[in-house]
PDB file of all heavy atoms in Angstrom:
ATOM      1  N   PHE A 270      12.542   6.278  10.927  1.00  0.00           N
ATOM      2  CA  PHE A 270      12.928   6.073  12.316  1.00  0.00           C
ATOM      3  C   PHE A 270      12.164   4.891  12.925  1.00  0.00           C
ATOM      4  O   PHE A 270      11.045   4.573  12.537  1.00  0.00           O
ATOM      5  CB  PHE A 270      12.620   7.317  13.144  1.00  0.00           C
ATOM      6  CG  PHE A 270      13.655   8.410  13.053  1.00  0.00           C
ATOM      7  CD1 PHE A 270      14.298   8.685  11.856  1.00  0.00           C
ATOM      8  CD2 PHE A 270      13.971   9.183  14.151  1.00  0.00           C
ATOM      9  CE1 PHE A 270      15.231   9.700  11.769  1.00  0.00           C
ATOM     10  CE2 PHE A 270      14.897  10.206  14.079  1.00  0.00           C
ATOM     11  CZ  PHE A 270      15.536  10.465  12.883  1.00  0.00           C
ATOM     12  N   LEU A 271      12.787   4.276  13.919  1.00  0.00           N
ATOM     13  CA  LEU A 271      12.154   3.296  14.795  1.00  0.00           C
ATOM     14  C   LEU A 271      11.450   2.167  14.041  1.00  0.00           C
ATOM     15  O   LEU A 271      10.278   1.870  14.289  1.00  0.00           O
ATOM     16  CB  LEU A 271      11.149   3.984  15.732  1.00  0.00           C
ATOM     17  CG  LEU A 271      11.721   5.079  16.633  1.00  0.00           C
ATOM     18  CD1 LEU A 271      10.594   5.753  17.410  1.00  0.00           C
ATOM     19  CD2 LEU A 271      12.762   4.501  17.577  1.00  0.00           C
ATOM     20  N   PRO A 272      12.129   1.482  13.122  1.00  0.00           N
ATOM     21  CA  PRO A 272      11.482   0.350  12.459  1.00  0.00           C
ATOM     22  C   PRO A 272      11.159  -0.763  13.453  1.00  0.00           C
ATOM     23  O   PRO A 272      11.983  -1.106  14.312  1.00  0.00           O
ATOM     24  CB  PRO A 272      12.522  -0.099  11.425  1.00  0.00           C
ATOM     25  CG  PRO A 272      13.832   0.390  11.955  1.00  0.00           C
ATOM     26  CD  PRO A 272      13.524   1.680  12.656  1.00  0.00           C
ATOM     27  N   VAL A 273       9.966  -1.311  13.341  1.00  0.00           N
ATOM     28  CA  VAL A 273       9.507  -2.427  14.171  1.00  0.00           C
ATOM     29  C   VAL A 273       9.033  -3.526  13.237  1.00  0.00           C
ATOM     30  O   VAL A 273       8.205  -3.281  12.347  1.00  0.00           O
ATOM     31  CB  VAL A 273       8.373  -2.001  15.130  1.00  0.00           C
ATOM     32  CG1 VAL A 273       7.824  -3.211  15.891  1.00  0.00           C
ATOM     33  CG2 VAL A 273       8.862  -0.937  16.106  1.00  0.00           C
ATOM     34  N   GLY A 274       9.554  -4.738  13.418  1.00  0.00           N
ATOM     35  CA  GLY A 274       9.196  -5.858  12.569  1.00  0.00           C
ATOM     36  C   GLY A 274       8.183  -6.771  13.229  1.00  0.00           C
ATOM     37  O   GLY A 274       8.254  -7.026  14.442  1.00  0.00           O
ATOM     38  N   TYR A 275       7.249  -7.287  12.431  1.00  0.00           N
ATOM     39  CA  TYR A 275       6.156  -8.112  12.942  1.00  0.00           C
ATOM     40  C   TYR A 275       6.186  -9.483  12.283  1.00  0.00           C
ATOM     41  O   TYR A 275       6.485  -9.614  11.081  1.00  0.00           O
ATOM     42  CB  TYR A 275       4.803  -7.458  12.654  1.00  0.00           C
ATOM     43  CG  TYR A 275       4.678  -6.064  13.226  1.00  0.00           C
ATOM     44  CD1 TYR A 275       5.139  -4.966  12.506  1.00  0.00           C
ATOM     45  CD2 TYR A 275       4.115  -5.847  14.476  1.00  0.00           C
ATOM     46  CE1 TYR A 275       5.041  -3.685  13.024  1.00  0.00           C
ATOM     47  CE2 TYR A 275       3.998  -4.573  15.003  1.00  0.00           C
ATOM     48  CZ  TYR A 275       4.467  -3.494  14.273  1.00  0.00           C
ATOM     49  OH  TYR A 275       4.370  -2.227  14.787  1.00  0.00           O
ATOM     50  N   ARG A 276       5.850 -10.482  13.076  1.00  0.00           N
ATOM     51  CA  ARG A 276       5.659 -11.832  12.575  1.00  0.00           C
ATOM     52  C   ARG A 276       4.376 -12.379  13.199  1.00  0.00           C
ATOM     53  O   ARG A 276       4.231 -12.388  14.423  1.00  0.00           O
ATOM     54  CB  ARG A 276       6.845 -12.729  12.933  1.00  0.00           C
ATOM     55  CG  ARG A 276       6.762 -14.118  12.328  1.00  0.00           C
ATOM     56  CD  ARG A 276       8.070 -14.865  12.472  1.00  0.00           C
ATOM     57  NE  ARG A 276       8.469 -15.024  13.858  1.00  0.00           N
ATOM     58  CZ  ARG A 276       9.648 -15.495  14.242  1.00  0.00           C
ATOM     59  NH1 ARG A 276      10.549 -15.816  13.331  1.00  0.00           N
ATOM     60  NH2 ARG A 276       9.935 -15.623  15.516  1.00  0.00           N
ATOM     61  N   ASN A 277       3.458 -12.758  12.333  1.00  0.00           N
ATOM     62  CA  ASN A 277       2.148 -13.226  12.800  1.00  0.00           C
ATOM     63  C   ASN A 277       1.475 -12.198  13.712  1.00  0.00           C
ATOM     64  O   ASN A 277       0.836 -12.542  14.710  1.00  0.00           O
ATOM     65  CB  ASN A 277       2.282 -14.561  13.528  1.00  0.00           C
ATOM     66  CG  ASN A 277       2.833 -15.657  12.637  1.00  0.00           C
ATOM     67  OD1 ASN A 277       2.522 -15.703  11.439  1.00  0.00           O
ATOM     68  ND2 ASN A 277       3.661 -16.523  13.197  1.00  0.00           N
ATOM     69  N   GLY A 278       1.643 -10.930  13.369  1.00  0.00           N
ATOM     70  CA  GLY A 278       0.991  -9.861  14.114  1.00  0.00           C
ATOM     71  C   GLY A 278       1.681  -9.456  15.393  1.00  0.00           C
ATOM     72  O   GLY A 278       1.219  -8.525  16.071  1.00  0.00           O
ATOM     73  N   GLN A 279       2.811 -10.096  15.751  1.00  0.00           N
ATOM     74  CA  GLN A 279       3.509  -9.794  16.997  1.00  0.00           C
ATOM     75  C   GLN A 279       4.784  -8.992  16.715  1.00  0.00           C
ATOM     76  O   GLN A 279       5.532  -9.326  15.783  1.00  0.00           O
ATOM     77  CB  GLN A 279       3.868 -11.085  17.736  1.00  0.00           C
ATOM     78  CG  GLN A 279       2.677 -11.908  18.192  1.00  0.00           C
ATOM     79  CD  GLN A 279       1.851 -11.188  19.240  1.00  0.00           C
ATOM     80  OE1 GLN A 279       2.378 -10.608  20.183  1.00  0.00           O
ATOM     81  NE2 GLN A 279       0.533 -11.201  19.068  1.00  0.00           N
ATOM     82  N   PRO A 280       5.066  -7.944  17.524  1.00  0.00           N
ATOM     83  CA  PRO A 280       6.299  -7.165  17.331  1.00  0.00           C
ATOM     84  C   PRO A 280       7.499  -7.925  17.892  1.00  0.00           C
ATOM     85  O   PRO A 280       7.663  -8.054  19.104  1.00  0.00           O
ATOM     86  CB  PRO A 280       6.035  -5.888  18.119  1.00  0.00           C
ATOM     87  CG  PRO A 280       5.085  -6.314  19.215  1.00  0.00           C
ATOM     88  CD  PRO A 280       4.240  -7.406  18.628  1.00  0.00           C
ATOM     89  N   VAL A 281       8.356  -8.432  17.000  1.00  0.00           N
ATOM     90  CA  VAL A 281       9.446  -9.304  17.431  1.00  0.00           C
ATOM     91  C   VAL A 281      10.829  -8.688  17.227  1.00  0.00           C
ATOM     92  O   VAL A 281      11.832  -9.269  17.670  1.00  0.00           O
ATOM     93  CB  VAL A 281       9.376 -10.656  16.690  1.00  0.00           C
ATOM     94  CG1 VAL A 281       8.112 -11.407  17.073  1.00  0.00           C
ATOM     95  CG2 VAL A 281       9.445 -10.454  15.167  1.00  0.00           C
ATOM     96  N   TRP A 282      10.898  -7.534  16.567  1.00  0.00           N
ATOM     97  CA  TRP A 282      12.202  -6.907  16.309  1.00  0.00           C
ATOM     98  C   TRP A 282      12.027  -5.407  16.206  1.00  0.00           C
ATOM     99  O   TRP A 282      11.006  -4.921  15.705  1.00  0.00           O
ATOM    100  CB  TRP A 282      12.790  -7.456  15.003  1.00  0.00           C
ATOM    101  CG  TRP A 282      14.008  -6.721  14.534  1.00  0.00           C
ATOM    102  CD1 TRP A 282      15.285  -6.861  14.983  1.00  0.00           C
ATOM    103  CD2 TRP A 282      14.065  -5.702  13.519  1.00  0.00           C
ATOM    104  NE1 TRP A 282      16.125  -6.003  14.330  1.00  0.00           N
ATOM    105  CE2 TRP A 282      15.402  -5.280  13.417  1.00  0.00           C
ATOM    106  CE3 TRP A 282      13.099  -5.115  12.689  1.00  0.00           C
ATOM    107  CZ2 TRP A 282      15.800  -4.298  12.522  1.00  0.00           C
ATOM    108  CZ3 TRP A 282      13.506  -4.133  11.793  1.00  0.00           C
ATOM    109  CH2 TRP A 282      14.839  -3.740  11.709  1.00  0.00           C
TER     110      TRP A 282
END
Side-chain angles (χ1 to χ4, degrees):
F270 278 38
L271 301 175
V273 175
Y275 303 86
R276 185 168 60 189
N277 299 324
Q279 296 295 315
V281 295
W282 170 80

